[in-house]
Amino acid sequence: MTTEQMNDMMAMALGGRAAEQVMLGKISTGAQNDLERVTRSAYSQVAIYGMNAAVGLLSFPPEEGRLDKPYSEDTAKLIDTEVRALVDIAYTRTLGLLKDKKHLVEDMAQALLEKEVLNLEELESLLGKRPYNAVEMRNIDKFSQGFGGKLDGSGESTTEAPAPPPPTDDPANEGQPALAAKGATKGGDDGTKGPIVAS
């Protein structure tokens, strides 16, 4: 994950707290889990992944059962300062976005009051299309396209799913069908033939 992606995720996670401040003018305890995630992410950038210029290319991953820190008190203060700065930047960015797009947040809140769940098309009609496309196909794209094919009017996929490979008896025989799949048979006590089954 890149620095920009981590910063985006922190800004996104702070959206609930920022929305309370912008939309309601007061904050609640509801964002506690988000704040934990943001704090962990910021500390990871600064103290584990070497993504902070002030701390440098150092990594101090937490060690189970270790009580002392493998760095000085000055470094600990520097890490704390840099983490606070990262979180403050992400929160300021999120507040700015919410203030700028407040009318869209209000529109979405009204739509959710009318209809408890909004699908992708309804979100796009309220907020517009995403400003960029993901490199990989998202799960929602796979769903809307029928996992490999377009959906017809009935919601059915217009392409057939590929047939699964036949089962194998041994991982070393990749692509070779299992004995039962080859049609190997063994006579039963009653004179009938059936597939060979390991006993």
Side-chain angles (χ1 to χ4, degrees):
M1 190 176 298
T2 67
T3 306
E4 293 78 16
Q5 287 172 319
M6 292 184 81
N7 290 339
D8 287 349
M9 289 179 73
M10 285 196 301
M12 181 183 66
L14 290 166
R17 170 57 64 90
E20 286 180 336
Q21 184 175 330
V22 170
M23 306 305 288
L24 306 174
K26 52 187 170 186
I27 58 174
S28 72
T29 59
Q32 188 262 334
N33 183 264
D34 296 329
L35 296 177
E36 278 182 30
R37 287 176 35 224
V38 167
T39 304
R40 216 175 11 253
S41 179
Y43 268 103
S44 295
Q45 277 192 62
V46 173
I48 297 175
Y49 300 130
M51 294 177 161
N52 181 267
V55 174
L57 300 175
L58 301 175
S59 180
F60 306 108
E63 294 178 27
E64 190 79 31
R66 185 172 182 160
L67 300 177
D68 63 328
K69 298 204 183 324
Y71 45 81
S72 69
E73 196 59 39
D74 288 342
T75 302
K77 287 178 184 174
L78 177 62
I79 290 170
D80 288 343
T81 300
E82 293 299 310
V83 166
R84 278 186 197 283
L86 266 180
V87 175
D88 288 346
I89 289 167
Y91 192 64
T92 301
R93 176 182 170 203
T94 305
L95 278 174
L97 278 170
L98 279 167
K99 288 175 182 173
D100 186 43
K101 307 288 184 184
K102 186 175 180 180
H103 64 284
L104 294 175
V105 177
E106 289 169 344
D107 291 347
M108 192 162 61
Q110 287 302 318
L112 285 167
L113 286 172
E114 294 169 18
K115 186 177 179 184
E116 200 169 310
V117 177
L118 300 175
N119 62 34
L120 180 62
E121 290 79 22
E122 291 165 329
L123 283 173
E124 285 181 348
S125 72
L126 286 168
L127 306 176
K129 292 239 182 230
R130 292 170 64 114
Y132 56 89
N133 291 323
V135 175
E136 295 178 6
M137 187 176 275
R138 301 169 300 163
N139 286 340
I140 190 70
D141 298 326
K142 292 175 187 174
F143 175 76
S144 66
Q145 294 178 13
F147 294 95
K150 302 281 184 202
L151 295 178
D152 63 18
S154 68
E156 296 294 320
S157 176
T158 58
T159 59
E160 292 183 26
T168 61
D169 290 324
D170 180 3
N173 294 334
E174 291 181 28
Q176 296 298 317
L179 290 175
K182 287 182 182 178
T185 58
K186 174 183 175 184
D189 292 338
D190 60 356
T192 60
K193 292 191 174 200
I196 296 175
V197 179
S199 48

